Amino acid sequence: MEFLGKIVIAGLMNGSIYGLVAIGFVLVYKSSSVLNFSQGYMLLLGAYIFWFFKASLKLDLLPSLLLALPSGFLMGIAIERITLRPLIGQPLISMITVTIFLSLVLEGLVSLIWGTYPLEQITVFGRGSGTVGSIVLTTENVCAFGVAFGAMVVLILFFRYTNLGLAMRGVAEGHQIVQSMGIGVRRIFSISWGIAGVAATIGGILMGTTLGFQLGLSHIGLLAIPAAFIGGLESPEGAILGGLLIGLIESVVSGYLGNAAGVPATFVVLILVMLIRPYGFFGLERIERV
Amino acid sequence: MRTKTFAAVLFLMVTAVMMSPTSISWAKGSVGEVLVGNVSAMTGPTSGTHMMCQSGSKDYLYYLNEKQGGIKGEKGQVKVKYVSYDSQYVATKAKDGFARLRGQGIIVLTHCASGHSDALQVDYERAKIPLVTGSHGIASVWSDWAYGNYHSGVANMIRTWIVWCKENWEKEGKPGGQLVLGCVATDEPFVPLALWDIDSFVKEQGIKLVKETIPKGTTDASPQLLRLKEAGSKAIFVQSSAPGAVVILNSAKAMNLGIPMTQCAAATLGDVIALGGPELAEGYQGEYFFEPMSKNPKYEDSQGMKLVKELWAKNHPGEKPNDMYVNGIMSGMVIAEGIRLALNEVPPAELTGETLKKYGLDRIKNFDCMGLSKPITYVEDDHIGPKHLRYWVVRKGVLEPVSDWIPTTDFRIPKK
Amino acid sequence: MAHTTYYPPSGIYADSFKKDIRIVKTRTQLILAVSAMLLLVAVPLIPGLNSPYLLRLLIGIGITIIICLGLNILTGYCGQLNIGQSAFVMVGAFTSGLLNHSFGWSFWACVIPAGMVAAAVGVVFGIPSVRLKGLYLALTTLGAQIILTWVALFHIPLTSAGFTVEPVKIGSFYFDTPERFYYIALVFTAVMAFAAKNLMRTRWGRAFIAVRDNDRAAEAMGIDIFRYKLIAFAICTFYAGVAGSLLVHYMMWAQLESFTLNDSIWYVVMIIVGGLGSIEGTIFGVIFITALKELIFVIGPMLEGTLAFLPIGAGSGLLLVIIGGVAIFFLIFEPRGLAHRWNLIKAYYRLWPFGY
């Protein structure tokens, strides 16, 4: 029982990271129907920007956060403005390809400025830990969990109660209709990419401070894709819950079967879920008419 | 049409670069200059270590150029030119790169990438160009043309560790009656070679080994570590590069694991400290077949280490010490020593891969890289490196030795 | 996306469907095609062009073209996105490699079984296409990549550690140098490309296009869409399997790390840049992307030396930025791929001087 408890906790903690990254996919997909392959690399750049403020400029935690998050927002907006805006109206698959090339550019930028060698570690949260029963919780894990949960709540409220959030949901339904109702589709695009940039930066900071600032951080972008799908590509709450579910499956399967069976197992589960609910648990079901 | 002009320029550029080995006339190198080739990943997540290794061998060879006008033998003197190709850690690209470097006229190849050693074997043997490598994945030490400065082949990392753990356990009076050891590996390509036929070895030693794997890029290793703990492991061996090691250390910390862990030579403790911070790495052990640069400054430096530090300060000003760099320097030293010995027999104009092997590398005896490692001797059918290693542990962000130099086990992956 | 307005050369017309679907329509085309083929055959004999490095690049391009042709049939013609192609290449490669390594079968006996096994695996992973579309289907192919790699890593001892494979031979003549293997690659690429081109002129090819353009309309017209989707999956992965078999016999070495998700994504990029639903486009795309990537491999290390004042790895980083940037600008200017531009150039030439 203790074994199971520990595995479940570890899975949930890990899953919250997946969820945070998956939110980035969802935000972009929701407004522009593009699967953003460069999400992992945005996370990498976000993490390195934070490292720059914290370690190179030697700022305190709060100012560096206050500078890094808007930088992440600007990063998202800039990416959208420069690379994706000119492609509006072009085949969707071209836009997806652009995000693949974008990941090259972002990785290149990071290596150009900071080099390919891992950066020096910085501590942010203070490495504390406490125990609940026989289960240990570290500050980083709790922070990751808290941030993921907080982000989910904020986003749900945002999409439900603010004008901007409602407008963004509208854009997801159809560009022409929303534009003709006086909502600036372009502005919405910018903002959703901006928020995706912030989400990536938060994920990057959390991961970088625990796993080190290195180019391999971008790999999480691929691991988090199943989380975005299983929850439904249009739903932020789906992304977080999907992330937790994926983390849980991975952890439990690896724990009981060994041999790193967790990751393939998540895909098996995912394909089965997709066959039953082709749009994920919370996704928008598109009704097709002839 | 701006796009058309742009496309035309691009096309010309691409063609020019593709043709460059044939059109630029540096083929074969002028008399008094030899080319040393390097194929390794310079972009992508593995590039950090590879670049460090490369930088080490390059800096050392260029230092010789600058300091003493190249490498001097009785029959003449050569300067070294270093050429490289980015393989992105893909075996096909490594082979393409080797073909390119060969076209440029290299006489010796060096690299730092495990999967490459095997995939490239056919190529460098056929081209009669020796390979000098500090790569931990060197499984092809059976090749007449491959020379390792790595301790003794990838499969001996865990074997030597098992023997060491068993000795310590016997010294303690065999607590528990049965020794259980754990091994956690990433799914990186070198791992199957590292665990080659390990089960029969474990049986021979009369201990129990529990193996676990973590997927690449994962952020959590708790399930695997929990399984090892459940199995009652006394110590854990980590077969992973540095990012994987940090994931494992984080998870171990999050669950208060309390089992000593040892890093294999695929990553250095210095990397782990840099990535995870000294606090996380505290108490983490690692194996070294050379003198680490990040050791506690209170220990005296060998002559080689003094040179390493000098080169490091010159070429990487303001950066923290890096252990992989030492590995690269050692590759450079072996190459330079080989060239020097060969130049005692042949004039620079006749220095080729073949003569370098015959008169140079094959004759290297008791070469200790200025004290950086135990002596290297190459004899027929045995081109393995120093065959000794030493365990170090992280204390307050610097390394302290926990063992003396230990001879490694001498298992060899069967000839293919 | 294949529909760019087609202008036949002046005086060329079709009065029957058979004439309309001819591949070679004019004498000029025939002459150009034959001379291009002759030139390709002569490459290893021309001094200056026959460096092993260049030939290796051409061989690599040939094998990649086969992989991408299959992918373009599935993704470009039939509209089913596949981002796990390199896993199927791996299935073919290991089937062929193991048959050779363990049973001593020659390449010629291995290559068809390799394609068949890959196709069988491909069909299994194609089954979810009965309900899934677009990106959601892409996810199952991503799953194929992860699951197949995992099987190869943990359940087949040989494939996880890597093993040697014999080179291709006829009698006692070994195709083990780039100069020799070049011809094998050339023949296979030409045959596979021709087969693909022809396939798209048959009933199956037209059914694929119908499924892609509007699956519900296709179904209403009596096309069994599930069946045709599975056929497309089988063809796509058969191509991958054959290419995989070629690859291991060329490398003489088979190991897991040659078949990564990254490769799969690059294959998709190649066909998109080349042009979805176009055989010529596939070839253009593979050549273009291979050349661009080669720039990183070659110039990156050179830059590294001149940019020594920047952190380690900066030179390659700079190049990644440039190449990614070039590719993005290219896509912004030409989102429909090189094949589209090719047709525009042809049309421009044929309509000159009245190209308006």
Side-chain angles (χ1 to χ4, degrees):
Chain A
M1 206 51 220
E2 191 195 326
F3 185 71
L4 181 67
K6 280 182 178 170
I7 279 188
V8 167
I9 295 289
L12 289 179
M13 296 297 170
N14 196 27
S16 56
I17 298 265
Y18 288 162
L20 256 183
V21 181
I23 277 190
F25 284 111
V26 167
L27 283 168
V28 169
Y29 187 84
K30 216 171 152 58
S31 65
S32 49
S33 310
V34 169
L35 183 65
N36 178 14
F37 274 101
S38 65
Q39 188 71 28
Y41 293 87
M42 284 166 70
L43 181 145
L44 179 69
L45 184 58
Y48 272 57
I49 288 176
F50 172 74
W51 185 90
F52 169 75
F53 288 129
K54 184 82 175 53
S56 298
L57 300 186
K58 297 195 169 53
L59 297 177
D60 286 338
L61 175 61
L62 200 61
S64 356
L65 274 180
L66 284 179
L67 284 168
L69 294 184
S71 310
F73 193 74
L74 289 179
M75 165 178 81
I77 289 183
I79 287 172
E80 194 273 335
R81 186 72 197 83
I82 296 168
T83 60
L84 286 135
R85 180 75 55 86
L87 280 170
I88 289 181
Q90 294 297 348
L92 209 57
I93 199 140
S94 306
M95 296 172 93
I96 296 177
T97 317
V98 161
T99 66
I100 296 175
F101 285 125
L102 202 55
S103 46
L104 288 191
V105 174
L106 293 178
E107 190 193 337
L109 264 182
V110 168
S111 2
L112 181 62
I113 302 172
W114 290 281
T116 47
Y117 213 77
L119 300 179
E120 202 184 317
Q121 175 63 3
I122 45 175
T123 32
V124 172
F125 306 111
R127 293 184 175 257
S129 59
T131 47
V132 181
S134 58
I135 295 157
V136 189
L137 297 171
T138 57
T139 341
E140 291 102 342
N141 279 338
V142 175
C143 277
F145 196 77
V147 169
F149 212 74
M152 178 175 86
V153 172
V154 167
L155 282 175
I156 291 174
L157 294 178
F158 172 75
F159 280 115
R160 191 147 297 168
Y161 295 111
T162 64
N163 278 340
L164 190 61
L166 287 170
M168 283 169 82
R169 279 170 67 188
V171 170
E173 294 284 335
H175 296 173
Q176 276 100 338
I177 305 168
V178 173
Q179 184 80 51
S180 65
M181 289 169 80
I183 296 170
V185 174
R186 290 178 179 181
R187 194 172 64 102
I188 301 292
F189 270 21
S190 288
I191 292 174
S192 14
W193 272 86
I195 300 178
V198 175
T201 310
I202 296 175
I205 295 170
L206 281 172
M207 284 185 58
T209 47
T210 48
L211 304 181
F213 291 85
Q214 33 113 359
L215 292 179
L217 283 183
S218 59
H219 203 83
I220 186 82
L222 288 173
L223 292 179
I225 287 182
F229 276 86
I230 208 165
L233 270 174
E234 285 96 352
S235 146
E237 62 267 35
I240 296 287
L241 295 177
L244 294 179
L245 185 62
I246 292 286
L248 202 60
I249 297 172
E250 204 186 306
S251 183
V252 169
V253 174
S254 291
Y256 280 100
L257 293 185
N259 271 352
V263 175
T266 54
F267 273 91
V268 173
V269 171
L270 187 60
I271 293 174
L272 292 179
V273 168
M274 287 286 136
L275 282 175
I276 297 160
R277 291 191 60 97
Y279 296 99
F281 283 126
F282 297 90
L284 210 56
E285 195 162 339
R286 301 221 181 266
I287 297 161
E288 293 182 343
R289 292 190 184 85
V290 180
Chain B
M1 289 290 286
R2 265 177 315 148
T3 33
K4 271 190 189 165
T5 331
F6 173 68
V9 169
L10 190 73
F11 178 75
L12 282 178
M13 251 170 65
V14 171
T15 347
V17 170
M18 301 287 166
M19 304 289 290
S20 60
T22 39
S23 56
I24 298 175
S25 62
W26 59 20
K28 284 289 154 212
S30 54
V31 180
E33 181 179 271
V34 291
L35 282 133
V36 174
N38 181 304
V39 174
S40 46
M42 303 183 187
T43 43
T46 44
S47 53
T49 359
H50 289 194
M51 291 295 286
M52 230 10 117
C53 244
Q54 178 179 347
S55 171
S57 50
K58 186 176 172 179
D59 290 348
Y60 179 73
L61 291 170
Y62 279 179
Y63 155 83
L64 291 184
N65 278 354
E66 218 172 90
K67 181 90 177 179
Q68 35 178 284
I71 303 166
K72 223 178 286 179
E74 282 162 21
K75 294 259 170 81
Q77 185 170 7
V78 292
K79 278 201 166 195
V80 174
K81 188 176 161 71
Y82 203 91
V83 285
S84 29
Y85 184 89
D86 176 5
S87 70
Q88 298 213 323
Y89 211 177
V90 178
T92 345
K93 292 320 291 175
K95 284 163 97 84
D96 291 354
F98 180 75
R100 185 185 169 85
L101 296 178
R102 193 188 158 196
Q104 294 181 351
I106 58 167
I107 64 156
V108 55
L109 177 74
T110 170
H111 69 49
C112 178
S114 55
H116 295 172
S117 346
D118 286 311
L120 279 173
Q121 185 173 350
V122 191
D123 302 64
Y124 59 74
E125 280 182 353
R126 229 180 241 166
K128 297 195 186 324
I129 290 174
L131 164 77
V132 175
T133 175
S135 152
H136 55 266
I138 177 144
S140 55
V141 279
W142 286 110
S143 168
D144 267 357
W145 293 89
Y147 295 83
N149 57 21
Y150 175 75
H151 61 66
S152 54
V154 64
N156 285 309
M157 295 192 299
I158 190 164
R159 285 176 168 79
T160 311
W161 174 77
I162 289 174
V163 171
W164 181 57
C165 285
K166 200 180 157 196
E167 268 170 22
N168 288 344
W169 173 70
E170 280 166 354
K171 263 182 223 157
E172 287 167 23
K174 304 191 178 183
Q178 161 81 8
L179 181 60
V180 184
L181 297 172
C183 165
V184 52
T186 46
D187 52 1
E188 284 165 277
F190 74 88
V191 172
L193 290 174
L195 292 175
W196 190 281
D197 201 18
I198 187 71
D199 295 333
S200 55
F201 179 79
V202 167
K203 212 183 245 174
E204 241 170 64
Q205 295 287 320
I207 63 151
K208 203 178 153 207
L209 182 74
V210 191
K211 287 175 282 184
E212 280 300 324
T213 311
I214 60 167
K216 183 165 49 189
T218 187
T219 47
D220 179 47
S222 333
Q224 285 83 359
L225 292 176
L226 270 172
R227 281 171 69 89
L228 291 179
K229 195 177 182 182
E230 292 281 295
S233 313
K234 286 265 181 324
I236 294 175
F237 194 63
V238 179
Q239 302 252 23
S240 150
S241 44
V246 172
V247 170
I248 292 167
L249 284 175
N250 261 305
S251 303
K253 192 182 169 193
M255 60 169 57
N256 266 342
L257 189 68
I259 301 176
M261 294 200 277
T262 306
Q263 166 70 41
C264 78
T268 64
L269 291 178
D271 291 350
V272 177
I273 297 171
L275 263 179
E279 222 177 295
L280 187 73
E282 182 73 20
Y284 194 45
Q285 297 169 339
E287 52 172 24
Y288 281 87
F289 54 93
F290 52 81
E291 192 180 343
M293 211 199 308
S294 44
K295 66 180 180 179
N296 192 331
K298 77 178 182 199
Y299 297 104
E300 203 195 335
D301 286 340
S302 68
Q303 211 191 339
M305 184 47 67
K306 280 177 193 148
L307 176 62
V308 170
K309 285 188 173 163
E310 184 192 324
L311 290 179
W312 180 254
K314 184 180 149 207
N315 293 296
H316 300 272
E319 288 178 47
K320 285 252 170 125
N322 188 298
D323 299 333
M324 268 301 164
Y325 189 70
V326 186
N327 190 351
I329 296 246
M330 275 177 64
S331 291
M333 284 176 166
V334 170
I335 292 172
E337 176 70 5
I339 293 178
R340 188 184 70 81
L341 289 174
L343 282 177
N344 285 342
E345 299 290 333
V346 294
E350 286 171 33
L351 195 61
T352 60
E354 262 181 300
T355 51
L356 173 62
K357 171 182 161 55
K358 192 170 166 196
Y359 300 113
L361 294 167
D362 277 349
R363 296 188 176 183
I364 289 183
K365 268 201 186 69
N366 285 325
F367 179 63
D368 71 348
C369 300
M370 296 168 82
L372 283 176
S373 73
K374 284 280 164 184
I376 298 174
T377 301
Y378 295 131
V379 294
E380 199 187 333
D381 226 14
D382 186 356
H383 293 171
I384 297 171
K387 291 186 191 156
H388 284 77
L389 58 76
R390 197 172 189 188
Y391 290 97
W392 295 72
V393 67
V394 181
R395 295 264 178 258
K396 299 198 175 92
V398 286
L399 306 191
E400 309 265 355
V402 279
S403 77
D404 206 351
W405 286 101
I406 300 177
T408 59
T409 52
D410 55 359
F411 174 80
R412 296 182 75 174
I413 293 173
K415 227 175 204 172
K416 289 194 182 100
Chain C
M1 275 155 262
H3 312 294
T4 40
T5 326
Y6 174 66
Y7 296 100
S10 166
I12 301 295
Y13 56 89
D15 47 18
S16 72
F17 182 63
K18 222 174 176 178
K19 266 190 179 175
D20 194 45
I21 59 170
R22 280 178 305 179
I23 293 176
V24 177
K25 290 198 172 70
T26 65
R27 185 175 293 175
T28 331
Q29 277 180 343
L30 187 68
I31 294 170
L32 281 177
V34 170
S35 47
M37 232 24 225
L38 283 178
L39 182 69
L40 281 175
V41 169
V43 164
L45 308 174
I46 304 171
L49 277 180
N50 58 359
S51 74
Y53 166 66
L54 208 64
L55 287 175
R56 288 192 65 96
L57 281 190
L58 288 176
I59 295 169
I61 286 176
I63 294 176
T64 318
I65 284 176
I66 298 178
I67 298 171
C68 290
L69 280 174
L71 189 60
N72 212 341
I73 290 172
L74 179 65
T75 302
Y77 283 99
C78 197
Q80 313 298 310
L81 191 55
N82 172 3
I83 49 174
Q85 179 77 338
S86 82
F88 301 112
V89 179
M90 176 182 80
V91 173
F94 283 161
T95 309
S96 181
L98 286 174
L99 285 178
N100 178 279
H101 185 86
S102 309
F103 303 110
W105 292 22
S106 78
F107 166 75
W108 305 104
C110 293
V111 61
I112 299 294
M116 302 296 261
V117 172
V121 176
V123 167
V124 171
F125 281 96
I127 290 173
S129 68
V130 67
R131 271 177 72 88
L132 301 182
K133 280 185 190 174
L135 283 174
Y136 288 93
L137 179 65
L139 190 77
T140 64
T141 55
L142 177 66
Q145 177 88 46
I146 307 264
I147 294 167
L148 291 174
T149 315
W150 181 75
V151 171
L153 187 63
F154 287 102
H155 297 283
I156 313 171
L158 264 179
T159 55
S160 54
F163 55 93
T164 49
V165 182
E166 267 188 15
V168 183
K169 62 173 178 183
I170 296 179
S172 60
F173 186 80
Y174 283 89
F175 292 86
D176 52 356
T177 59
E179 291 84 356
R180 292 172 178 178
F181 191 86
Y182 174 79
Y183 289 105
I184 299 278
L186 185 64
V187 168
F188 267 85
T189 313
V191 170
M192 298 300 260
F194 190 68
K197 185 88 190 166
N198 261 335
L199 183 71
M200 289 308 120
R201 306 190 300 157
T202 62
R203 185 187 176 83
W204 280 8
R206 290 192 294 276
F208 290 163
I209 294 171
V211 171
R212 174 194 70 194
D213 287 348
N214 191 332
D215 52 349
R216 279 149 300 168
E219 198 163 24
M221 287 165 67
I223 294 172
D224 182 350
I225 52 172
F226 183 48
R227 179 165 158 245
Y228 279 104
K229 279 180 183 174
L230 287 189
I231 291 176
F233 261 99
I235 295 174
C236 164
T237 46
F238 179 81
Y239 269 73
V242 169
S245 173
L246 275 173
L247 193 66
V248 284
H249 289 273
Y250 161 57
M251 297 250 298
M252 296 173 245
W253 173 253
Q255 202 193 3
L256 209 54
E257 64 173 289
S258 319
F259 314 100
T260 60
L261 178 58
N262 237 339
D263 294 319
S264 292
I265 292 176
W266 276 108
Y267 296 143
V268 178
V269 167
M270 284 171 183
I271 61 168
I272 292 169
V273 167
L276 284 172
S278 157
I279 302 294
E280 299 89 342
T282 313
I283 298 171
F284 293 147
V286 172
I287 296 176
F288 183 78
I289 295 289
T290 311
L292 261 191
K293 284 176 85 177
E294 206 54 33
L295 280 177
I296 311 184
F297 302 136
V298 174
I299 302 190
M302 295 182 193
L303 271 181
E304 209 64 57
T306 45
L307 293 176
F309 57 93
L310 284 173
I312 213 158
S316 310
L318 178 65
L319 220 68
L320 280 183
V321 174
I322 294 173
I323 285 178
V326 165
I328 289 174
F329 274 103
F330 173 81
L331 272 174
I332 288 173
F333 283 117
E334 199 53 271
R336 278 149 204 269
L338 285 161
H340 179 70
R341 173 63 57 190
W342 174 242
N343 283 338
L344 287 183
I345 292 171
K346 278 203 292 195
Y348 181 78
Y349 163 75
R350 282 172 185 160
L351 296 178
W352 192 84
F354 304 111
Y356 297 100

